[in-house]
Amino acid sequence: MSQARNHDGDPRSTRLFGHRVAAAGPLLPVLITLVIGLVFLLGGAGTVWLPLLAAGPALAASTDGPRGVLGVGLLAAGLGVALGARDGASGAELAAVPAALLAVTSASALAGALRSRRERVLADVRSVAEAAQHALLKPVPPTVGPFEAAVRYSAAAAEARIGGDLYALVPTPYGVRLIVGDVRGKGLPAVGTAALVLGVFREAAYDEPDLLAVVDRIERSLARNLGADDFVTAVIAGCPRPGVLEVVNCGHAPPLLVRASKEIEAVEPAPPAPPLGLRALTDQTPGLQELTFADGDQLLLYTDGVIEARDRDRAFYPLVEGLTRHLSDEPSRTLGAIHDELLAHVGGRLHDDAALLLIRKPVPCAPPAPQLPTAEAVLGDRVG
């Protein structure tokens, strides 16, 4: 799936860096303990400063497990006794130094055990989040029906894999249908609403021949389940037959239609309609727009987190200009460049969920030109 999580950079590079740090981490407390011992050995600082050896096991609590902490602590205690004896420390001092170091070691070992337990719990939570991500935001293959497709998604919450933005792209008996939406609010309630919308959409997209009927089913479901102040902005689109694109906009940012000539136009809703979940408060109903969608055309759907992303000068990200700069015939490459530029625009961290979905109708390959017979072949036929 062409998705960027959070945000992000290359996840493989991040994992590789993390593995290298984890591999070097257990060695650091040992090196620090040996360096402190070497300084005492060469400098003759005296036994007063020997408790500084406790820095080794204290640091080991953040990089290693209880066994590693105990090992570093025993090393520090042994060095402390040896250095104290070399400097002629009394018996009471020789006993006090290892006792203090072993006390620090015991506390550090306990802290290391608790840290390891929290890391295991966090790993379990992350695995559940990954499973929820794949169940809610299913992977989008590079080709869906007759279209090429790509997705980039970033959740603003730290360590999050999913948020309040949603997308789906599904082939149905009535053509390929897609949705991009933005749930009001953040956190788990927004994720629950996104799951509700996507579940109804995927079911209705297969059942309803009319795209407006799909929207109506989502609206009815939200009216039963959402609070009075909750709503979802969304664009639902479909391609019922070759060369035709249907769009229903429910209070969402207008999609960008890119013609094969590279001309970009915003598909403004006509007429404007309220977000999903608020239809009961107004007499407006969404309308169905029908557009041509020829070979080479592309459609970009996105959420507010993209166009409302600000830089240090509080300037919004110019999506149309970014799309113009990075437009190509490969949707994944186009969205990858836009997503990287978006992260650079905000300084590396988005403050709102952001989703981008791009589909393209590929240009059919021209049939190979018939090969004309060469002069030698013609002459050979005549001689024969």
Side-chain angles (χ1 to χ4, degrees), residues 117-277:
R117 181 177 181 276
R118 287 193 298 267
E119 287 181 349
R120 289 193 296 270
V121 172
L122 180 59
D124 292 340
V125 171
R126 283 177 173 172
S127 65
V128 172
E130 292 287 350
Q133 167 199 332
H134 286 288
L136 179 59
L137 301 176
K138 294 183 178 180
V140 173
T143 302
V144 180
F147 303 108
E148 299 169 342
V151 167
R152 286 292 186 276
Y153 182 92
S154 295
E159 299 297 335
R161 299 295 190 271
I162 53 180
D165 287 2
L166 58 97
Y167 67 83
L169 178 64
V170 294
T172 74
Y174 313 106
V176 173
R177 287 175 169 173
L178 57 151
I179 182 174
V180 167
D182 188 355
V183 178
R184 177 186 178 273
K186 293 180 174 65
L188 290 178
V191 174
T193 302
L196 173 64
V197 172
L198 289 174
V200 177
F201 169 77
R202 291 187 177 115
E203 181 180 358
Y206 279 90
D207 295 342
E208 302 291 348
D210 185 359
L211 193 63
L212 283 175
V214 176
V215 178
D216 290 341
R217 282 182 57 172
I218 299 175
E219 176 69 33
R220 291 195 298 270
S221 179
L222 291 179
R224 292 192 301 268
N225 293 281
L226 290 189
D229 297 329
D230 296 329
F231 59 86
V232 180
T233 67
V235 171
I236 299 94
C239 298
R241 53 190 181 277
V244 175
L245 175 69
E246 295 179 343
V247 177
V248 180
N249 193 327
C250 300
H252 199 75
L256 298 178
L257 181 60
V258 185
R259 296 299 182 184
S261 61
K262 310 303 181 185
E263 177 186 358
I264 301 176
E265 59 182 273
V267 183
E268 297 289 348
L276 296 167

Side-chain angles (χ1 to χ4, degrees), residues 12-356:
R12 291 173 297 180
S13 300
T14 303
R15 288 195 297 267
L16 180 60
F17 177 77
H19 292 328
R20 289 176 177 174
V21 172
L27 297 178
L28 293 178
V30 176
L31 292 176
I32 288 177
T33 303
L34 293 176
V35 168
I36 294 175
L38 183 62
V39 170
F40 277 98
L41 181 63
L42 299 179
T47 59
V48 175
W49 301 100
L50 284 179
L52 285 178
L53 289 169
L59 178 61
S62 63
T63 61
D64 207 346
R67 291 183 179 180
V69 175
L70 291 175
V72 176
L74 292 176
L75 173 63
L79 281 175
V81 172
L83 292 173
R86 186 195 71 117
D87 290 342
S90 64
E93 290 177 334
L94 287 178
V97 170
L101 291 175
L102 291 176
V104 173
T105 299
S106 300
S108 299
L110 178 59
L114 294 176
R115 178 189 56 81
S116 299
R117 181 177 181 276
R118 287 193 298 267
E119 287 181 349
R120 289 193 296 270
V121 172
L122 180 59
D124 292 340
V125 171
R126 283 177 173 172
S127 65
V128 172
E130 292 287 350
Q133 167 199 332
H134 286 288
L136 179 59
L137 301 176
K138 294 183 178 180
V140 173
T143 302
V144 180
F147 303 108
E148 299 169 342
V151 167
R152 286 292 186 276
Y153 182 92
S154 295
E159 299 297 335
R161 299 295 190 271
I162 53 180
D165 287 2
L166 58 97
Y167 67 83
L169 178 64
V170 294
T172 74
Y174 313 106
V176 173
R177 287 175 169 173
L178 57 151
I179 182 174
V180 167
D182 188 355
V183 178
R184 177 186 178 273
K186 293 180 174 65
L188 290 178
V191 174
T193 302
L196 173 64
V197 172
L198 289 174
V200 177
F201 169 77
R202 291 187 177 115
E203 181 180 358
Y206 279 90
D207 295 342
E208 302 291 348
D210 185 359
L211 193 63
L212 283 175
V214 176
V215 178
D216 290 341
R217 282 182 57 172
I218 299 175
E219 176 69 33
R220 291 195 298 270
S221 179
L222 291 179
R224 292 192 301 268
N225 293 281
L226 290 189
D229 297 329
D230 296 329
F231 59 86
V232 180
T233 67
V235 171
I236 299 94
C239 298
R241 53 190 181 277
V244 175
L245 175 69
E246 295 179 343
V247 177
V248 180
N249 193 327
C250 300
H252 199 75
L256 298 178
L257 181 60
V258 185
R259 296 299 182 184
S261 61
K262 310 303 181 185
E263 177 186 358
I264 301 176
E265 59 182 273
V267 183
E268 297 289 348
L276 296 167
L278 298 181
R279 190 184 301 182
L281 304 179
T282 176
D283 57 356
Q284 294 178 326
T285 57
L288 181 71
Q289 296 174 265
E290 190 171 288
L291 309 168
T292 59
F293 199 62
D295 295 338
D297 289 351
Q298 304 186 52
L299 182 70
L300 175 63
L301 284 75
Y302 54 93
T303 58
D304 289 344
V306 177
I307 56 175
E308 293 181 357
R310 296 174 182 262
D311 61 10
R312 293 182 178 178
D313 298 326
R314 308 300 294 168
F316 293 114
Y317 175 68
L319 179 58
V320 175
E321 289 83 350
L323 179 59
T324 302
R325 282 191 296 270
H326 303 298
L327 186 63
S328 70
D329 292 338
E330 299 179 17
S332 60
R333 194 168 88 184
T334 300
L335 290 194
I338 292 176
H339 186 267
D340 292 344
E341 188 176 77
L342 176 64
L343 291 180
H345 180 81
V346 299
R349 173 87 181 268
L350 290 170
H351 298 287
D352 193 7
D353 302 333
L356 293 155

Side-chain angles (χ1 to χ4, degrees), residues 366-374:
Q371 294 183 351
L372 298 176
T374 62

